[in-house]
Amino acid sequence: MGKIIKQREVTLFLVVVLMMITLSVTSPIFFKVSNFLSLARSFSIEGIVLIGMTVLLVSGYMDLSAGSVMALSGVFAALLIEAGMPFIIAVAGAVTVGLLCGFINGWIITKFKIHPFIITFGMMSIARGIALSITQGQPIRIFNESFDFIGQAAVFGIPLVTIIFLLFVIFFDFCMRKIRFFRQFYFIGGNALSAELTGINVDRVRIFGFVLTGFLASVSGIFATARFQGAIPTAFNGIELKLIVAAVVGGCTLDGGEGSVLGAVLGIIFLFLLSNGMTLLGVSMYWENFVLGAFLVVVVFFNSSIGRHLTK
């Protein structure tokens, strides 16, 4: 399994490099520093929550509320700062929102054995509805130097959010490969009943997966709010599709048991390069959802075909 995952990651890395070379030839703007910094900030913000989605997909579950939780966390952070609360309190409040949403998702799903699609879809509507109701659908501007700093800061020219993202990637990729607790997500995704019979607390592990996703969604929401110096309640609408496609392109399956954090990260970089290339080449942005959906169908079909071939 490790060899298969590694080969997939190497192949995807080569595809990403080839795409970068192609874009540099077709568009002289692509290799500009400003374009790269913009790309780095964008895919880093979405890449942080992608890590949580990857962990859930490995266990055979997914979270459709991630984008709404990102928006709601950003709204709470902005409201706390607007109320005069210190920077740390605002961040802690936003993180608490993400943790609470993740725990509610995981607890209801495991306690009452309800399909995660239903519960997380419900949480998606609830979180988005709260964000829209609180703000009346209007953005909240933030004027706080400490908070704005985390969205605009850079270390040796590298955005701070990108550095945090890379640290998260290294840490969680290592955990998924080497740490026993995180390896349990693969066992559960492969066969939850067998995992339970071997002594794994399946419900506890899955709740942790949802809490982790909620936490990372809130971190992404905080960075996005700081970057744009304001909270937008309609932000990240439909981002879940992009996260799932990125994870599947990177090696995850919708049935669980396969995938890696590094592969998913390469998947989202690939999608951002594709989107950026479409923009630079003048392709309408309305085609982006079509491309994402088409990639999901093609990759799932490809993975299913390989799976049927290997089982024969």
Side-chain angles (χ1 to χ4, degrees):
M1 182 64 67
K3 290 180 180 179
I4 293 174
I5 292 175
K6 185 176 181 180
Q7 289 174 357
R8 182 188 292 268
E9 290 168 352
V10 171
T11 301
L12 187 54
F13 175 76
L14 294 176
V15 170
V16 168
V17 172
L18 180 61
M19 180 173 286
M20 292 178 66
I21 294 173
T22 303
L23 289 174
S24 65
V25 173
T26 56
S27 176
I29 304 175
F30 176 73
F31 262 122
K32 284 192 173 182
V33 175
S34 58
N35 185 54
F36 265 95
L37 290 178
S38 178
L39 274 176
R41 283 193 172 92
S42 296
F43 77 70
S44 296
I45 290 173
E46 297 185 10
I48 290 174
V49 67
L50 171 66
I51 295 171
M53 184 70 81
T54 302
V55 173
L56 278 179
L57 284 170
V58 167
S59 72
Y61 280 4
M62 66 177 67
D63 187 352
L64 299 179
S65 65
S68 297
V69 173
M70 290 171 68
L72 182 60
S73 298
V75 166
F76 263 80
L79 288 174
L80 290 172
I81 288 178
E82 192 177 49
M85 294 292 179
F87 158 73
I88 297 298
I89 299 298
V91 171
V95 169
T96 301
V97 169
L99 292 172
L100 183 61
C101 290
F103 177 78
I104 292 173
N105 278 335
W107 184 78
I108 294 177
I109 289 168
T110 56
K111 181 71 174 180
F112 299 99
K113 307 303 178 185
I114 303 175
H115 198 282
F117 177 87
I118 303 297
I119 300 304
T120 59
F121 182 82
M123 180 60 74
M124 177 182 70
S125 300
I126 292 170
R128 184 72 64 179
I130 293 174
L132 291 171
S133 298
I134 292 175
T135 62
Q136 294 298 304
Q138 300 300 315
I140 302 175
R141 300 296 300 170
I142 297 177
F143 302 97
N144 183 289
E145 291 185 2
S146 298
F147 192 83
D148 294 343
F149 173 79
I150 64 175
Q152 308 296 329
V155 179
F156 299 112
I158 303 174
L160 177 62
V161 63
T162 302
I163 295 174
I164 299 298
F165 165 62
L166 292 176
L167 291 176
F168 274 142
V169 170
I170 294 170
F171 175 75
F172 284 106
D173 189 74
F174 173 81
C175 288
M176 292 295 285
R177 296 177 190 271
K178 300 296 183 181
I179 304 300
R180 180 180 181 276
F181 177 80
F182 284 89
R183 293 294 299 171
Q184 293 177 351
F185 284 96
Y186 288 99
F187 304 148
I188 293 171
N191 191 316
L193 180 59
S194 296
E196 191 168 8
L197 292 175
T198 60
I200 295 175
N201 191 327
V202 174
D203 289 350
R204 184 183 67 179
V205 174
R206 280 177 164 165
I207 290 175
F208 176 82
F210 281 104
V211 172
L212 175 64
T213 304
F215 165 72
L216 293 175
S218 65
V219 172
S220 295
I222 291 168
F223 273 112
T225 303
R227 179 190 178 188
F228 298 114
Q229 296 181 311
I232 306 173
T234 56
F236 309 112
N237 190 22
I239 192 179
E240 298 82 7
L241 173 62
K242 181 186 290 186
L243 298 178
I244 292 172
V245 173
V248 171
V249 168
C252 291
T253 66
L254 300 180
D255 296 326
E258 297 182 39
S260 69
V261 172
L262 180 58
V265 169
L266 289 172
I268 201 166
I269 292 175
F270 170 80
L271 293 182
F272 265 91
L273 288 174
L274 184 65
S275 177
N276 187 243
M278 292 171 63
T279 301
L280 294 177
L281 295 176
V283 179
S284 173
M285 61 176 292
Y286 297 112
W287 282 101
E288 184 173 350
N289 283 338
F290 168 81
V291 173
L292 287 176
F295 260 102
L296 181 60
V297 172
V298 170
V299 173
V300 170
F301 175 78
F302 179 74
N303 288 341
S304 299
S305 300
I306 291 179
R308 287 195 299 268
H309 177 74
L310 292 176
T311 55
K312 289 182 179 179

